[in-house]
Amino acid sequence: MIDVHCHILPGLDDGSRGLEESLEMAESAIADGITRVVATPHASSSYVFDFARVRECRDELQKHLGDRLLLATGCDFHMSPENMIALREDAPRFCINQKNYLLVEFNEFSIPPAMDHRLHELQLAGLRPVITHPERNAILRARPERLKQWVQHGSFVQVTGGSLTGSFGVGAQEDAWRWIDEGLVHFVASDAHNTRTRPLVLRAAYDAVEAQFGKEKAEALFEENPLAAFEGQELPHVPEVLDESSEPRKKKFFFF
Ligand SMILES: [Fe+2]
């Protein structure tokens, strides 16, 4: 599996607090069957994204891991006006493995209509926005039609593995499963922050998706789409989005 969203680099944001914790997170990824990880520190009002420092941290951690786990970098990108200016100057430094897929996170307080325009602007610049964990965002959970519209206009969606297995509550769990069913989800990632509450694992979520939707779907969300984003290729699996009149594909999900 390839994890396109996690906070494994030490001391850059609210993720790993030091090298020891980063190494433990890496070991848990390796044991879980993850072969590549994209370290995606926040770029937000709370955390400055310094690309040179991000790369330094990545290189240092990679040195310790050798070829047991491949580390790349990206960014958990907040679409503030300042960040948008920085993005226009040099987009690849923020993108997954410096290609063209960009993780975009929204805050919990407001998602103004201008965000629709900013997503469009990213696409016009040749970038592929990936909306991170909408199932954990109260605004998007209350207005899923906005998410659906973004997907119909070419944005992609990543849900968190832990949401599927219930770590973020029943509401997030239900929406994450329903949105996979509705064809709104393209990636599952760990969004790991530490070794305790937000670990770097995906296997349990992979098994749950395989049990619900079959092997092909699990491979699409955890392996093949992440690999394509990692390499800057077109996603091989872009499901058809169910419209309002459609019946849900699955009537009921069983949870773990
Ligand atoms: Fe994140």
Side-chain angles (χ1 to χ4, degrees):
M1 296 174 285
I2 296 173
D3 189 12
V4 295
H5 181 178
C6 74
H7 300 263
I8 190 174
L9 295 181
L12 295 180
D13 58 11
D14 57 345
S16 166
R17 288 161 303 171
L19 181 60
E20 202 176 312
E21 187 165 34
S22 298
L23 289 169
E24 275 181 49
M25 290 168 78
E27 289 303 330
S28 104
I30 293 164
D32 206 53
I34 294 168
T35 55
R36 301 183 203 197
V37 153
V38 186
T40 52
H42 291 285
S44 64
S45 53
S46 311
Y47 302 104
V48 175
F49 183 90
D50 176 345
F51 184 56
R53 189 152 168 247
V54 169
R55 293 302 299 178
E56 241 171 64
C57 286
R58 176 264 165 211
D59 292 349
E60 178 65 25
L61 187 56
Q62 186 71 73
K63 228 189 282 167
H64 284 83
L65 294 168
D67 59 5
R68 299 175 62 230
L69 180 68
L70 179 59
L71 290 178
T73 64
C75 175
D76 204 350
F77 188 84
H78 184 73
M79 287 201 294
S80 64
E82 306 75 48
N83 276 350
M84 292 299 283
I85 291 168
L87 189 76
R88 273 181 224 117
E89 284 166 4
D90 178 8
R93 67 183 146 159
F94 295 106
C95 291
I96 291 175
N97 197 25
Q98 283 67 68
K99 305 293 187 195
N100 54 347
Y101 287 79
L102 178 71
L103 298 185
V104 173
E105 69 165 354
F106 292 104
N107 69 40
E108 290 273 347
F109 318 111
S110 95
I111 305 179
M115 291 300 166
D116 300 6
H117 175 69
R118 283 188 196 158
L119 282 173
H120 186 57
E121 204 184 313
L122 297 182
Q123 290 173 292
L124 290 179
L127 301 177
R128 309 296 179 91
V130 179
I131 315 296
T132 61
H133 47 69
E135 81 283 2
R136 288 164 40 208
N137 183 296
I139 298 171
L140 292 174
R141 289 190 49 217
R143 298 275 313 277
E145 66 279 7
R146 275 188 92 179
L147 184 70
K148 191 178 265 190
Q149 195 180 44
W150 293 339
V151 171
Q152 283 166 331
H153 290 165
S155 289
F156 301 114
V157 169
Q158 171 252 309
V159 299
T160 306
S163 298
L164 296 170
T165 52
S167 303
F168 294 93
V170 175
Q173 188 176 30
E174 284 177 352
D175 282 346
W177 283 110
R178 182 175 332 101
W179 291 342
I180 293 177
D181 190 45
E182 291 177 357
L184 294 174
V185 177
H186 309 85
F187 302 92
V188 179
S190 76
D191 196 7
H193 277 65
N194 53 51
T195 50
R196 300 150 288 117
T197 51
R198 309 276 301 275
L200 214 170
V201 291
L202 285 171
R203 177 60 59 191
Y206 182 104
D207 290 346
V209 168
E210 186 178 0
Q212 296 274 5
F213 294 108
K215 196 172 171 52
E216 199 180 318
K217 189 61 147 181
E219 285 175 350
L221 298 181
F222 294 80
E223 298 172 28
E224 291 166 6
N225 280 350
L227 179 62
F230 195 95
E231 293 179 339
Q233 307 287 338
E234 296 289 324
L235 296 191
H237 303 277
V238 179
E240 195 190 329
V241 176
L242 286 189
D243 63 35
E244 276 73 47
S245 58
S246 321
E247 280 286 299
R249 292 190 177 109
K250 269 179 98 78
K251 285 271 190 272
K252 195 160 170 42
F253 301 104
F254 54 91
F255 293 143
F256 297 81

